Amino acid sequence: MIKRSKRTERRNPTGLSPEAIAALNGRPATLTTAPPDPDSETAWMSTGNCRLHPPATFFPSDGVGVDKARKICRDCPVMGRCLEYALEERIDHGVWGGCSERERRRILKSRRQDVDASV
């Protein structure tokens, strides 16, 4: 027989509205953020699929996490720009543009070899 916990997952046991709970806690009911500056170098980030997921998703500690992040990146409208940003800024950690740290190192090495071969 499987024992089940008697704890129920109730997020709001008081029955108060989210606005009332926010007021009691001294917090705003909704968080407002400034719209991205369209002239910013990183304005493209506001249209990426990653904005819909927690940042930890893109900084996994195992291969399974990398695959999960890649699936999110696969259909992203800014995937190419994201990868180029990570390569230009030499970002060492996380999944950017659908590529892991190791894949980005290989891309950079390949580009260096191509430049050396053409000189």
Side-chain angles (χ1 to χ4, degrees):
M1 180 155 106
I2 299 174
K3 271 191 162 181
R4 296 183 190 251
S5 172
K6 291 185 180 183
R7 261 178 56 192
T8 58
E9 289 191 36
R10 291 173 42 189
R11 294 186 186 268
N12 185 0
T14 62
L16 296 173
S17 70
E19 291 79 15
I21 293 172
L24 287 172
N25 290 323
R27 296 185 178 132
T30 58
L31 296 176
T32 56
T33 57
D37 178 9
D39 298 327
S40 164
E41 290 181 23
T42 57
W44 56 270
M45 288 181 180
S46 66
T47 59
N49 290 350
C50 55
R51 75 188 188 285
L52 305 172
H53 300 275
T57 305
F58 299 94
F59 296 91
S61 59
D62 61 359
V64 175
V66 171
D67 289 339
K68 182 179 178 184
R70 278 192 193 126
K71 286 180 184 176
I72 295 168
C73 293
R74 188 179 328 160
D75 300 323
C76 185
V78 294
M79 187 171 93
R81 179 65 191 107
C82 182
L83 176 59
E84 286 304 316
Y85 176 80
L87 294 171
E88 289 168 9
E89 299 297 323
R90 300 288 198 262
I91 298 175
D92 294 334
H93 304 289
V95 175
W96 290 76
C99 291
S100 67
E101 300 98 334
R102 183 177 294 162
E103 291 168 323
R104 291 195 306 276
R105 282 193 299 270
R106 287 180 187 153
I107 291 170
L108 288 171
K109 183 177 180 181
S110 171
R111 287 183 180 181
R112 279 193 303 271
Q113 289 173 345
D114 290 348
V115 169
D116 291 345
S118 66
V119 174

